[in-house]
Amino acid sequence: MKLRWLIAVILFCSTLLQAQSQPTTADAEQFMKQAEARLNEAAIKASRAGWVQENFITDDTEALAADANDQITALTTELVEQAKKFDGVSMPPDLARKFMLLKLSLTAPAPHDPALRKEMTKIASSLDGDYGKGTYCRKSDECLDITAIEKIMGDSRDPKELQDLWIGWHKVGAPMRQRYARFVELSNQGAREMGFKDVGAMWRAGYDMTPEQFSAELDRLWDQVRPLYLALHTYVRARLSQRYGASIVPPNGPIRADLLGNPWAQEWGNIFPLLGLPENSRGYDLTQLLQAKNLDAKGMVRYGENFYKSLGFQPLPDTFWQRSLFVKPRDRDVVCHASAWDLDNKDDLRIKMCIQVRDVDFVTIHHELGHNFYQRAYKDQPLLFENGANDGFHEAIGDTIALAVTPEYLQKIGLLDKVPPADADIPLLLMKALDKVAFLPFGLTIDQWRWKVFSGEVTPANYNKAWWDLRLKYQGVAPPAARTEDDFDPGAKYHVPANVPYMRYFLADILQFQFYRSMCKESGYTGPLHRCTFYQSKQAGDKLNRMLEMGASKPWPDALEALTGQRQMDATAILDYFAPLKKWLDEQNKGQKSGW
């Protein structure tokens, strides 16, 4: 009897101790509060180190950035591991969302092993630095950085010069290949230790759906827009074949990647003059209009800020103008790729650009400021909600504003005397399509390649072949010279060595037209979609701000619904926008083979 009683007491005590050791909702809340405070401190340090490293590229700043990134990576990895003890704990939706976002917060998850983690972050900084320092010396006394190469390739019509510059710039990738392969190994190990199949699966899990559902969603959106892209590709190929000859641009095959206006064939606007429309058929040249104003770089940025102010947003802080980088320094290497920064998660907003007074930079400024105004809109959210509803949202905001940079807008701000007549719409739409529509398959390709690399389907032995297979499949472009596995052409695109997920840009290319259509409607506009500007519409600005303030606090369909009334990404807006052009392209393409 005593033995039974003793056993019962032991079991009761054991159950009581077990119950006491089980974490509670209150424990989870306390853990998350401390985690966000620690992450905020580490993120600010990493942002400052990253800013210095990209603006003063030296071995020392790379080491400092690598150390700061190592610290935040180590902290996040530690917190993710500790958070596992709360698996199964009943939580309110907001708290559960924070735990999910914490798990997904690293784009390069690192192994638990400190030595391997340090190795990975050092590789990451070196790859980013290699890109920033990259040059092509076509003569012993003429070494060109990527900014200079972009400008020449945008203007040149000499296929031999374009081929030479393309090959020269793409040499920047070859030395990265071995380190990149090691980076993939290490980050995959980190992802698996966090419970993901690989890094690609982890990236795809960040869209409030399963990785498989997200891949299917991308296929659905691409199917919607592919006919528009094919019509554009067919028209451009025919005109380039006429210009350069069938031996350089076969009329039924892919287009040479160096002939499309920039080093990556991602946007084609620079080749507009080659496409057979009458000179000045757009009615104006924005670059000339800007240069006629004798603007400097800050003057360009003021136009962008004024657009957001016209929607009801507060001016940028004084520190923005004091601390941003607007012009490429003469005395040092910097990463010129345009980017927006929020260094303290509150008010220290900046952009980093090597601004030239030209049309493409004018549009890019409106885009980058979209990040800054989004960052400030959600600054009062908890740290893990200080982000876009998904990463495509963050990219789409500035592009939505840039779509409203119409002739009507340019007239309102005094850059254009008279709005071109309706017969200029096709040239204007074609110019826009050369950037927006041409970009769509490129936006898909980068991460389709990386996901295959992370999964092991593409191995280091066929990195380059797989890259060009995908470029051909989606874009219908081909390299201008034979490529081998001694090359590493993905490394010549900033986002690969910098490990920046790229699918966000494809999503942004879809979402921006969806946002734009809704804001035009909110502003009371009723004309052709492509002519709308909601400049000075406080109603449109208020509705936009309501979505921006949400940050990542709700699943992205909730944020999408707040602005558009829709809960699904929808490419019909981009089709509506370009409907007059699609009809015109189909007429021009009669008798031409579509595809390659």
Side-chain angles (χ1 to χ4, degrees):
M1 191 71 179
K2 288 184 178 181
L3 182 59
R4 281 192 205 166
W5 178 83
L6 183 60
I7 292 173
V9 170
I10 292 172
L11 288 173
F12 173 76
C13 292
S14 175
T15 302
L16 183 63
L17 287 170
Q18 187 176 8
Q20 290 175 340
S21 67
Q22 288 293 320
T24 65
T25 303
D27 294 331
E29 288 174 344
Q30 182 63 23
F31 168 83
M32 186 54 66
K33 181 179 179 180
Q34 294 174 351
E36 288 189 298
R38 295 175 67 191
L39 284 170
N40 186 59
E41 182 180 355
I44 292 172
K45 289 180 180 178
S47 292
R48 296 197 186 285
W51 176 266
V52 172
Q53 185 260 323
E54 292 210 356
N55 285 280
F56 301 86
I57 302 174
T58 68
D59 291 342
D60 292 326
T61 60
E62 282 186 15
L64 291 170
D67 184 56
N69 285 329
D70 179 66
Q71 290 180 37
I72 194 168
T73 301
L75 173 60
T76 307
T77 303
E78 172 196 335
L79 292 172
V80 169
E81 185 65 25
Q82 292 175 0
K84 290 179 180 177
K85 67 184 177 185
F86 298 103
D87 290 350
V89 173
S90 177
M91 301 181 195
D94 282 2
L95 184 58
R97 184 166 181 81
K98 286 184 180 181
F99 274 88
M100 179 195 74
L101 293 173
L102 172 63
K103 193 174 182 181
L104 297 171
S105 60
L106 288 175
T107 57
H112 293 321
D113 185 308
L116 295 179
R117 189 186 68 241
K118 283 183 177 293
E119 179 188 0
M120 193 191 84
T121 53
K122 184 177 180 181
I123 289 172
S125 288
S126 73
L127 292 172
D128 185 70
D130 279 4
Y131 186 93
K133 292 181 290 190
T135 59
Y136 168 49
C137 301
R138 59 178 178 178
K139 297 177 184 176
S140 59
D141 60 345
E142 186 189 16
C143 290
L144 305 170
D145 63 14
I146 188 56
T147 301
I149 290 171
E150 279 190 83
K151 188 175 189 312
I152 298 170
M153 292 190 73
D155 296 335
S156 177
R157 306 300 182 232
D158 179 352
K160 289 185 178 179
E161 180 182 39
L162 292 168
Q163 182 186 53
D164 177 67
L165 288 168
W166 189 96
I167 294 171
W169 173 249
H170 279 72
K171 289 178 181 177
V172 75
M176 302 178 186
R177 171 190 276 266
Q178 189 172 355
R179 277 173 295 150
Y180 186 78
R182 179 61 176 158
F183 175 83
V184 169
E185 290 178 6
L186 293 169
S187 56
N188 264 344
Q189 181 176 334
R192 286 192 292 269
E193 289 174 359
M194 290 172 59
F196 294 97
K197 183 179 178 182
D198 56 63
V199 174
M202 179 179 173
W203 286 3
R204 296 195 300 281
Y207 294 94
D208 297 299
M209 57 180 70
T210 67
E212 294 75 21
Q213 288 171 328
F214 182 60
S215 294
E217 182 73 353
L218 296 176
D219 290 341
R220 180 185 67 82
L221 293 169
W222 174 237
D223 286 343
Q224 282 186 291
V225 297
R226 187 171 181 270
L228 177 59
Y229 176 76
L230 286 175
L232 180 67
H233 182 281
T234 302
Y235 175 78
V236 168
R237 179 179 58 192
R239 296 305 178 272
L240 292 181
S241 188
Q242 290 173 2
R243 169 78 184 209
Y244 294 118
S247 62
I248 293 177
V249 183
N252 295 323
I255 304 172
R256 248 176 57 174
D258 59 327
L259 301 178
L260 289 164
N262 71 39
W264 310 281
Q266 68 180 63
E267 294 165 336
W268 306 349
N270 287 322
I271 66 165
F272 177 85
L274 304 182
L275 300 185
L277 278 73
E279 192 172 353
N280 297 324
S281 57
R282 288 180 292 158
Y284 67 93
D285 184 317
L286 181 53
T287 296
Q288 291 179 3
L289 295 175
L290 294 166
Q291 292 174 352
K293 290 286 186 180
N294 294 316
L295 291 172
D296 60 8
K298 282 190 178 181
M300 294 268 284
V301 181
R302 289 287 183 188
Y303 277 111
E305 182 197 35
N306 285 338
F307 196 120
Y308 290 88
K309 287 164 61 178
S310 84
L311 300 178
F313 291 91
Q314 293 299 306
L316 291 162
D318 290 342
T319 52
F320 172 88
W321 302 100
Q322 298 159 5
R323 299 171 182 172
S324 292
L325 179 81
F326 300 114
V327 179
K328 188 180 189 306
R330 296 181 179 181
D331 62 340
R332 65 183 190 268
D333 290 321
V334 301
V335 176
C336 271
H337 183 87
S339 54
W341 297 66
D342 176 11
L343 271 76
D344 65 353
N345 297 324
K346 291 299 176 189
D347 294 302
D348 192 354
L349 306 171
R350 309 179 192 181
I351 63 169
K352 179 180 61 61
M353 280 185 68
C354 300
I355 295 173
Q356 301 176 56
V357 181
R358 56 179 183 168
D359 52 2
V360 64
D361 289 50
F362 189 75
V363 173
T364 300
I365 286 164
H366 286 74
H367 168 86
E368 294 301 336
L369 292 184
H371 290 296
N372 289 141
F373 282 96
Y374 204 167
Q375 288 159 342
R376 188 164 64 180
Y378 57 57
K379 70 176 183 178
D380 294 328
Q381 291 281 358
L383 178 73
L384 285 168
F385 292 159
E386 289 182 351
N387 210 334
N390 68 39
D391 54 9
F393 276 63
H394 228 305
E395 296 300 330
I397 298 305
D399 281 344
T400 301
I401 304 302
L403 284 174
V405 178
T406 60
E408 288 80 1
Y409 164 67
L410 298 176
Q411 183 189 43
K412 286 182 177 182
I413 63 175
L415 282 177
L416 189 61
D417 292 333
K418 185 172 69 174
V419 174
D423 59 10
D425 282 5
I426 291 300
L428 287 168
L429 283 170
L430 178 59
M431 184 65 186
K432 185 74 73 175
L434 291 170
D435 288 338
K436 299 296 183 181
V437 178
F439 177 80
L440 287 164
F442 183 84
L444 273 177
T445 300
I446 305 293
D447 279 353
Q448 295 284 5
W449 178 81
R450 273 194 292 204
W451 295 344
K452 293 176 186 293
V453 167
F454 286 129
S455 74
E457 181 181 342
V458 170
T459 67
N462 64 342
Y463 273 172
N464 231 41
K465 180 181 182 302
W467 173 261
W468 286 107
D469 285 348
L470 286 168
R471 298 288 300 274
L472 179 64
K473 174 184 176 180
Y474 286 104
Q475 278 189 284
V477 302
R483 312 305 286 164
T484 72
E485 293 305 327
D486 290 331
D487 304 302
F488 183 55
D489 293 331
K493 176 60 183 168
Y494 168 78
H495 299 75
V496 174
N499 196 50
V500 178
Y502 209 77
M503 200 55 70
R504 61 185 64 177
Y505 301 103
F506 172 79
L507 297 178
D509 220 18
I510 301 293
L511 286 167
Q512 64 188 262
F513 287 91
Q514 198 171 354
F515 294 166
Y516 172 78
R517 183 170 63 183
S518 295
M519 291 183 71
C520 287
K521 181 179 179 181
E522 192 67 24
S523 72
Y525 179 81
T526 57
L529 185 57
H530 61 275
R531 279 181 165 256
C532 164
T533 185
F534 41 76
Y535 176 67
Q536 297 177 320
S537 172
K538 298 295 194 297
Q539 295 91 337
D542 286 345
K543 197 160 191 180
L544 174 64
N545 193 51
R546 285 198 293 273
M547 182 182 81
L548 300 186
E549 288 177 337
M550 293 169 68
S553 64
K554 302 291 182 183
W556 65 260
D558 293 352
L560 181 65
E561 187 176 28
L563 178 60
T564 69
Q566 298 175 276
R567 296 186 59 82
Q568 185 179 50
M569 290 182 282
D570 180 14
T572 62
I574 193 171
L575 300 180
D576 288 349
Y577 185 96
F578 287 110
L581 178 67
K582 176 62 163 62
K583 180 180 178 182
W584 182 84
L585 288 172
D586 289 344
E587 293 170 356
Q588 304 300 310
N589 290 338
K590 286 179 180 176
Q592 299 284 342
K593 178 190 173 184
S594 178
W596 46 86

